[in-house]
Amino acid sequence: MSTRPWIVDDDLWALIEPLLPRWPERSSGPRPVVDRLCLQGILCVLYNDIAWQLLPLELGFGSGQTCWRRLERWQQPGIFDQLHRVLLPS
């Protein structure tokens, strides 16, 4: 088992990425943190059972606030239900 189980490898990412909503090509404001990094940040917070604001910026996943907002963005349209069906088939 990896010492950092929140890291999403290329094979797993290939299954997950198509399920995530696309960002508009032209949106105002700064470029969003890459989805893969946000997912790893979410998994890191959950795995380590830490508060969102304690996610270290040095890990490169964006801020805890950014990861939390991305989690909310994905939860609303049922992305995690889709991920469950793809990753954990019955």
Side-chain angles (χ1 to χ4, degrees):
M1 178 176 206
S2 170
T3 58
R4 299 180 309 159
W6 52 85
I7 299 301
V8 177
D9 67 26
D10 292 341
D11 293 335
L12 182 56
W13 183 243
L15 296 172
I16 294 171
E17 184 179 28
L19 302 175
L20 302 178
R22 298 278 174 229
W23 286 96
E25 287 298 317
R26 300 240 180 215
S27 59
S28 61
R31 272 185 91 83
V33 175
V34 177
D35 285 335
R36 187 174 183 171
L37 292 175
C38 277
L39 176 60
Q40 292 177 151
I42 292 165
L43 295 173
C44 181
V45 166
L46 296 175
Y47 181 82
N48 290 298
D49 194 26
I50 59 173
W52 292 103
Q53 64 268 27
L54 296 179
L55 180 65
L57 287 173
E58 300 81 39
L59 293 176
F61 303 139
S63 70
Q65 175 89 16
T66 295
C67 292
W68 180 84
R69 282 194 306 257
R70 195 70 52 91
L71 173 64
E72 188 173 62
R73 180 176 193 257
W74 293 339
Q75 268 184 313
Q76 290 173 353
I79 300 298
F80 287 97
D81 291 335
Q82 293 175 42
L83 285 173
H84 186 266
R85 284 192 293 276
V86 169
L87 300 176
L88 302 170
S90 47

